[in-house]
Amino acid sequence: MTKLTAQELRDILNIKIPERLAKISKEQATARTKIISAISDKPKTIPEISQEIKMPVEKVTWNIMTLYRYGVVEPVDKTDEGYYRYRMRK
């Protein structure tokens, strides 16, 4: 049995992904990549990540929670201000 790529399957089934959806998906992937890169060297809080990658706190929060839900990141400890520091899950 031949394995098909996602693009090949979409071509066979004549499925078109709306341009807006494709753009959003790319933006989210880029955001997650930046966040993962920011916490790869040491754990950071959401405000620290936001400042480092120049992304609104709301977007960083949403992406961190998504990464947490899927087991990619984990909270390490809590700062005196009440923020969790996140790192890549080991």
Side-chain angles (χ1 to χ4, degrees), residues 1-89:
M1 177 178 235
T2 303
K3 291 187 178 184
L4 299 174
T5 65
Q7 183 61 51
E8 290 169 336
L9 186 59
R10 284 192 298 268
D11 290 344
I12 290 169
L13 298 174
N14 197 29
I15 296 172
K16 304 289 184 218
I17 296 177
E19 197 172 308
R20 182 173 169 265
L21 180 60
K23 181 182 175 190
I24 291 169
S25 183
K26 280 184 182 181
E27 288 173 357
Q28 289 173 346
T30 300
R32 286 191 295 271
T33 301
K34 287 179 180 180
I35 290 168
I36 288 169
S37 178
I39 62 174
S40 63
D41 57 339
K42 70 175 191 171
K44 294 183 178 115
T45 64
I46 289 175
E48 289 170 340
I49 297 166
S50 174
Q51 185 176 15
E52 182 176 323
I53 65 174
K54 296 176 181 30
M55 183 181 293
V57 171
E58 298 81 12
K59 283 190 176 188
V60 173
T61 302
W62 187 88
N63 281 284
I64 283 285
M65 293 301 103
T66 300
L67 293 167
Y68 173 73
R69 179 177 182 191
Y70 292 102
V72 178
V73 301
E74 64 185 356
V76 179
D77 59 5
K78 206 172 191 180
T79 66
D80 293 338
E81 295 84 19
Y83 294 107
Y84 286 100
R85 285 190 183 91
Y86 293 90
R87 69 174 177 201
M88 296 299 296
R89 190 169 196 168

